Structures are given as structure tokens and as C-alpha cells.
Amino acid sequence: MYSGQKWVFDMINLVPVWEMGYFGNGIRVRINDDPVEATHPEFAGRYNTSSSCDNYENVELQGIESHGTAVASIMGATGDNGECSVGVAPETIISSCNAFSDEAFLDGPGSFLAVKIDAFDISQNSWGYDVCT
């Protein structure tokens, strides 16, 4: 599906970055969102459960498309593996927190953002909450 995404990659001038050899190798990215499907083929060998929150999976959502898996794919889908597409940084190491589980808010909204903070370099937070309620 690269051709379907080419316009986006062109818009953000990504191809020259890849041509310089930058694919995210060694960068650890935390996805804070709906659960990320840890066993998805796009993340094979690059999903780190030990760097994820304890609630990284939601048994009820396994095998079902989720926003967290989609976000992780945009960021780090492998590419050239016969699956769906290629992410912006296809060699990153991925971990995740289920931002919408009851466990995520035990110590207050957003408290999970600091869980295992030394286990990731970049945190992607595609969620929000109303701080006034």
C-alpha cells in the first residue's frame, strides 16, 4: 500500500530521510492509546512487552482493529513483509499502554504516562481528557 501513502510521505519529505538511512533503528516509541495488537505481523520482533504498561493488552479487543494498532502502524509498520504498508520509522521498537483501561487512571488521569519512563525515547499520546471535570 505504499503508493496509497506516497502523497503523505512526499508531503512530509520522508523519502530523503530514508535515503540517508534513517529508519528509527534503536529508537523506542511508546504508544499511549487503545491497545496495540502486540502480535501483529507488522511489529514482529520489535514489540517490547517488558517496556509496556501491565495493561498493554485488552483481551476483549484482541484481533479487532483498534486505533492504537493503527497509530503504531503509521509510526512503525515493517514494510516489505507482504502485509499492509510501511510506517514512517519501520525499525523502531514499540511498547504501549492501554490509555483507556481502568488501570491507566488508578493514580489520576495521565498517571500511566510515567510508567517505565526510562523504557522509551518518544511517547505518542493520541488521547485526551477533560481536565475541568
Side-chain angles (χ1 to χ4, degrees), residues 8-40:
V8 176
F9 293 159
D10 289 346
M11 185 173 63
I12 63 173
N13 207 23
L14 182 61
V15 173
V17 174
W18 286 343
E19 288 172 346
M20 289 187 283
Y22 296 109
F23 300 99
N25 189 355
I27 304 299
R28 303 164 305 162
V29 179
R30 164 76 55 78
I31 305 295
N32 297 301
D33 202 306
D34 287 329
V36 174
E37 185 181 338
T39 58
H40 196 286

Coordinates of all heavy atoms in Angstrom, one line a residue, residues 8-40:
V8 N 1.5 11.4 1.2 CA 1.8 11.8 2.6 C 3.3 11.8 2.8 O 3.8 12.8 3.4 CB 1.1 10.9 3.7 CG1 1.5 11.3 5.1 CG2 -0.4 10.9 3.5
F9 N 3.9 10.8 2.4 CA 5.4 10.7 2.5 C 6.1 11.9 1.8 O 7.0 12.4 2.2 CB 5.9 9.4 2.1 CG 5.5 8.2 2.9 CD1 5.5 6.9 2.4 CD2 5.1 8.4 4.2 CE1 5.1 5.8 3.2 CE2 4.7 7.3 5.0 CZ 4.7 6.0 4.5
D10 N 5.5 12.2 0.6 CA 6.1 13.3 -0.2 C 5.8 14.6 0.5 O 6.7 15.5 0.6 CB 5.4 13.4 -1.6 CG 5.9 12.3 -2.5 OD1 6.9 11.6 -2.2 OD2 5.2 12.0 -3.5
M11 N 4.6 14.8 1.1 CA 4.3 16.0 1.8 C 5.2 16.3 3.0 O 5.6 17.4 3.3 CB 2.8 15.9 2.3 CG 2.3 17.2 2.9 SD 0.5 17.2 3.3 CE 0.4 15.9 4.5
I12 N 5.6 15.2 3.7 CA 6.5 15.4 4.9 C 8.0 15.2 4.5 O 8.8 15.2 5.4 CB 6.1 14.5 6.1 CG1 6.2 13.0 5.7 CG2 4.7 14.9 6.5 CD1 6.0 12.1 6.9
N13 N 8.2 15.0 3.2 CA 9.6 14.9 2.7 C 10.3 13.7 3.4 O 11.5 13.9 3.8 CB 10.3 16.2 2.9 CG 11.4 16.4 1.9 OD1 11.4 15.8 0.8 ND2 12.4 17.2 2.2
L14 N 9.7 12.6 3.4 CA 10.2 11.4 4.1 C 11.2 10.6 3.3 O 12.2 10.2 3.9 CB 9.1 10.5 4.6 CG 9.4 9.3 5.3 CD1 10.1 9.7 6.7 CD2 8.2 8.4 5.6
V15 N 11.1 10.5 2.0 CA 12.0 9.7 1.2 C 13.4 10.1 1.4 O 14.3 9.2 1.5 CB 11.5 9.6 -0.2 CG1 12.5 8.9 -1.1 CG2 10.1 8.9 -0.3
P16 N 13.8 11.4 1.3 CA 15.2 11.8 1.5 C 15.7 11.3 2.9 O 16.9 11.0 3.0 CB 15.2 13.3 1.4 CG 14.0 13.6 0.6 CD 13.0 12.6 1.0
V17 N 14.9 11.3 3.9 CA 15.3 10.8 5.2 C 15.6 9.3 5.2 O 16.7 8.9 5.7 CB 14.2 11.1 6.3 CG1 14.6 10.5 7.6 CG2 14.0 12.6 6.4
W18 N 14.8 8.5 4.5 CA 15.1 7.1 4.3 C 16.3 6.9 3.5 O 17.1 6.0 3.8 CB 13.9 6.4 3.6 CG 12.7 6.2 4.5 CD1 12.6 6.2 5.9 CD2 11.4 5.9 4.1 NE1 11.4 5.9 6.3 CE2 10.6 5.7 5.2 CE3 10.8 5.7 2.8 CZ2 9.2 5.4 5.1 CZ3 9.5 5.4 2.7 CH2 8.7 5.2 3.9
E19 N 16.5 7.8 2.4 CA 17.7 7.6 1.6 C 19.0 7.9 2.4 O 20.0 7.4 2.0 CB 17.6 8.6 0.4 CG 16.6 8.2 -0.6 CD 16.3 9.2 -1.7 OE1 16.7 10.3 -1.6 OE2 15.7 8.8 -2.7
M20 N 18.9 8.7 3.5 CA 20.1 8.9 4.3 C 20.3 7.7 5.3 O 21.2 7.7 6.1 CB 19.9 10.2 5.1 CG 20.0 11.4 4.2 SD 20.1 13.0 5.2 CE 18.3 13.2 5.6
G21 N 19.3 6.8 5.3 CA 19.5 5.6 6.1 C 18.8 5.7 7.5 O 19.1 4.8 8.4
Y22 N 17.9 6.6 7.7 CA 17.2 6.8 9.0 C 15.9 6.1 8.9 O 15.0 6.5 8.2 CB 17.0 8.3 9.3 CG 18.3 9.0 9.5 CD1 18.7 10.0 8.6 CD2 19.1 8.8 10.6 CE1 19.9 10.7 8.8 CE2 20.3 9.5 10.8 CZ 20.6 10.4 9.9 OH 21.8 11.1 10.1
F23 N 15.8 5.0 9.7 CA 14.5 4.2 9.8 C 14.0 4.0 11.2 O 13.2 3.2 11.4 CB 14.8 2.8 9.1 CG 15.2 2.9 7.6 CD1 16.5 2.8 7.3 CD2 14.2 3.2 6.7 CE1 16.9 2.9 5.9 CE2 14.6 3.3 5.3 CZ 15.9 3.2 5.0
G24 N 14.6 4.7 12.1 CA 14.2 4.6 13.5 C 14.9 3.5 14.3 O 14.5 3.1 15.4
N25 N 16.0 2.9 13.7 CA 16.7 1.8 14.4 C 17.2 2.2 15.7 O 17.9 3.2 15.8 CB 17.8 1.3 13.5 CG 18.5 0.1 14.0 OD1 18.1 -0.4 15.1 ND2 19.4 -0.4 13.2
G26 N 16.8 1.5 16.8 CA 17.3 1.8 18.1 C 16.4 2.8 18.9 O 16.6 3.0 20.1
I27 N 15.4 3.4 18.2 CA 14.6 4.3 18.9 C 13.4 3.6 19.5 O 12.8 2.7 18.8 CB 14.0 5.4 17.9 CG1 15.2 6.1 17.2 CG2 13.1 6.4 18.6 CD1 16.1 6.9 18.2
R28 N 13.1 3.9 20.7 CA 12.0 3.2 21.4 C 10.8 4.1 21.6 O 10.9 5.2 22.2 CB 12.4 2.8 22.8 CG 13.7 1.9 22.8 CD 14.4 1.7 24.1 NE 14.7 3.1 24.6 CZ 15.0 3.3 25.9 NH1 15.0 2.4 26.8 NH2 15.2 4.6 26.3
V29 N 9.6 3.7 21.0 CA 8.5 4.6 21.0 C 7.3 3.9 21.8 O 7.0 2.7 21.6 CB 8.0 4.8 19.5 CG1 6.7 5.7 19.5 CG2 9.1 5.5 18.7
R30 N 6.8 4.7 22.7 CA 5.6 4.2 23.5 C 4.3 4.8 22.8 O 4.2 5.9 22.6 CB 5.7 4.7 24.9 CG 4.5 4.7 25.8 CD 4.1 3.3 26.3 NE 5.2 2.7 27.0 CZ 5.5 2.9 28.3 NH1 4.9 3.9 29.0 NH2 6.5 2.3 28.9
I31 N 3.4 3.9 22.6 CA 2.1 4.3 22.1 C 1.1 4.3 23.2 O 0.8 3.2 23.8 CB 1.6 3.3 21.0 CG1 2.6 3.2 19.8 CG2 0.2 3.7 20.5 CD1 2.8 4.4 19.0
N32 N 0.5 5.4 23.6 CA -0.5 5.5 24.7 C -1.8 5.8 24.0 O -2.1 6.9 23.5 CB -0.1 6.7 25.6 CG 1.2 6.5 26.3 OD1 1.4 5.5 27.0 ND2 2.1 7.4 26.1
D33 N -2.6 4.7 23.9 CA -3.8 4.8 23.1 C -4.7 3.6 23.5 O -4.5 3.0 24.5 CB -3.4 4.8 21.6 CG -4.5 5.4 20.7 OD1 -5.6 4.9 20.8 OD2 -4.2 6.3 19.9
D34 N -5.6 3.2 22.5 CA -6.2 1.9 22.6 C -5.1 0.9 22.6 O -4.0 1.1 22.2 CB -7.2 1.7 21.4 CG -8.4 2.6 21.5 OD1 -8.9 2.9 22.6 OD2 -8.9 2.9 20.4
P35 N -5.5 -0.4 23.0 CA -4.4 -1.4 23.0 C -3.8 -1.6 21.6 O -4.5 -1.5 20.6 CB -5.2 -2.7 23.4 CG -6.4 -2.2 24.1 CD -6.8 -0.9 23.5
V36 N -2.5 -1.9 21.6 CA -1.8 -2.2 20.3 C -1.7 -3.7 20.3 O -1.4 -4.3 21.3 CB -0.4 -1.6 20.3 CG1 0.4 -2.1 19.1 CG2 -0.5 -0.1 20.4
E37 N -2.1 -4.3 19.1 CA -2.0 -5.7 19.0 C -0.5 -6.2 18.9 O 0.1 -6.0 17.9 CB -2.7 -6.1 17.7 CG -2.8 -7.6 17.5 CD -3.5 -8.0 16.2 OE1 -4.3 -7.2 15.6 OE2 -3.3 -9.1 15.8
A38 N -0.1 -6.6 20.1 CA 1.4 -6.9 20.2 C 1.9 -8.0 19.3 O 3.0 -8.0 18.9 CB 1.6 -7.4 21.7
T39 N 1.0 -8.9 18.8 CA 1.4 -10.0 17.9 C 1.2 -9.7 16.5 O 1.3 -10.6 15.6 CB 0.7 -11.3 18.3 OG1 -0.7 -11.1 18.2 CG2 1.1 -11.7 19.7
H40 N 0.9 -8.4 16.1 CA 0.6 -8.1 14.7 C 1.9 -8.3 13.9 O 3.0 -7.9 14.4 CB 0.1 -6.6 14.7 CG -0.5 -6.3 13.3 ND1 0.3 -6.2 12.2 CD2 -1.8 -6.1 13.0 CE1 -0.6 -5.9 11.2 NE2 -1.8 -5.8 11.7

